[in-house]
């Protein structure tokens, strides 16, 4: 946004009898239209996640995302702790979005960890424009990793970290985004817990 000069603000104030606002106030007044919100408010605690529209897929191993509730707050959770399997890779894939119907699409979410000690124990944001929504065809689709802020071992346990505004406006056609979690149930350095909540897609 172009900054409004002090002189312009004074002129406007003279005409409409209002004070000059700073840039942050102007930014906050911008209209942002929400395409999609997921806060997992309908979760049933400690069950396999089956939120409508989402695909919960164990790519390697048997662990999938679960529904959790704490202090009336629902969230998605993944952990490989106790699986006994050398490698667990799970995907939580969003519904489909038509990226040709609007511009400036932006994704935000928050995530947290517990017992994270290794950079090999990961939570990633992935995007595909050729996944057809049928998990049977997952291996025929291509996915790209989108750089995003997620928890590190320096964050406190269960401290939510904002993803920041993730720009998805460069994608066209039908888009799915996904959270890909990787860990191990046999390596105690790789059995962290990840939590995801307050997902919002807007433009």
């Amino acid at each position: 946004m172009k900054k409004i000069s002090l002189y312009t603000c004074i002129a406007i104030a003279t005409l409409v009898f209002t004070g000059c606002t700073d840039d942050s106030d102007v930014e906050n007044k911008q209209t942002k239209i929400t395409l999609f919100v997921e806060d997992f408010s309908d979760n049933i605690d400690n069950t396999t996640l089956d939120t409508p529209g989402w695909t919960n897929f164990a790519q390697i191993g048997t662990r999938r995302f679960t529904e959790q509730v704490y202090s009336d707050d629902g969230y998605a959770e993944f952990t490989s702790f106790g699986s006994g399997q050398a490698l667990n890779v799970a995907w939580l894939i969003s519904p489909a979005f038509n990226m040709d119907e609007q511009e400036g699409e932006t994704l935000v979410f928050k995530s947290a960890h517990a017992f994270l000690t290794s950079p090999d124990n990961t939570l990633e944001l992935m995007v595909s424009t050729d996944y057809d929504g049928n998990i049977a065809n997952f291996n025929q689709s291509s996915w790209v990793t989108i750089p995003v802020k997620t928890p590190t071992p320096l964050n406190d346990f269960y401290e939510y970290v904002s993803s920041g505004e993730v720009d998805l406006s460069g994608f066209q056609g039908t888009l799915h985004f996904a959270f890909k979690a990787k860990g191990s149930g046999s390596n105690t350095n790789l059995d962290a817990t990840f939590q995801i909540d307050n997902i919002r897609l807007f433009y």
Side-chain angles (χ1 to χ4, degrees):
M1 169 177 288
K2 295 181 179 178
K3 292 187 177 179
I4 301 173
S5 71
L6 178 60
Y7 298 107
T8 303
C9 283
I10 292 172
I12 294 172
T14 301
L15 291 172
V16 300
F17 305 101
T18 60
C20 180
T21 59
D22 62 26
D23 286 337
S24 62
D25 290 334
V26 174
E27 291 285 350
N28 289 336
K29 290 182 180 179
Q30 283 188 318
T31 300
K32 295 181 179 180
I33 300 175
T34 298
L35 289 174
F36 177 77
V37 170
E38 183 60 75
D39 61 8
F40 302 105
S41 58
D42 294 329
N43 275 9
I44 299 174
D45 194 34
N46 203 30
T47 60
T48 300
L49 191 148
D50 61 356
T51 305
W54 291 86
T55 299
N56 187 6
F57 170 51
Q59 183 183 21
I60 301 176
T62 58
R63 283 294 172 91
R64 295 189 287 167
F65 282 83
T66 62
E67 299 180 10
Q68 301 294 331
V69 181
Y70 180 77
S71 296
D72 295 323
D73 177 42
Y75 52 90
E77 181 175 284
F78 174 83
T79 182
S80 54
F81 177 76
S83 74
Q85 297 165 340
L87 181 61
N88 293 107
V89 179
W91 293 66
L92 185 59
I93 306 173
S94 77
F97 302 98
N98 186 342
M99 304 297 280
D100 298 331
E101 292 184 344
Q102 63 284 308
E103 297 180 350
E105 299 92 345
T106 301
L107 177 71
V108 294
F109 64 94
K110 65 181 185 179
S111 55
H113 85 87
F115 307 103
L116 179 63
T117 60
S118 170
D120 294 326
N121 203 171
T122 56
L123 176 66
E124 299 176 278
L125 176 65
M126 313 294 291
V127 166
S128 176
T129 55
D130 63 3
Y131 173 61
D132 65 4
N134 183 349
I135 200 62
N137 299 326
F138 177 84
N139 290 332
Q140 283 70 56
S141 60
S142 56
W143 294 82
V144 295
T145 304
I146 305 297
V148 67
K149 295 178 183 177
T150 56
T152 74
L154 297 178
N155 293 108
D156 292 337
F157 289 6
Y158 309 112
E159 172 193 357
Y160 274 114
V161 173
S162 173
S163 64
E165 295 193 350
V166 184
D167 183 7
L168 299 181
S169 63
F171 293 96
Q172 297 178 329
T174 300
L175 177 142
H176 292 81
F177 64 85
F179 300 100
K180 177 185 177 182
K182 181 174 72 173
S184 171
S186 61
N187 184 338
T188 57
N189 292 319
L190 301 174
D191 62 359
T193 294
F194 291 109
Q195 300 172 339
I196 303 167
D197 201 2
N198 291 5
I199 302 164
R200 181 180 172 220
L201 182 64
F202 63 88
Y203 66 96

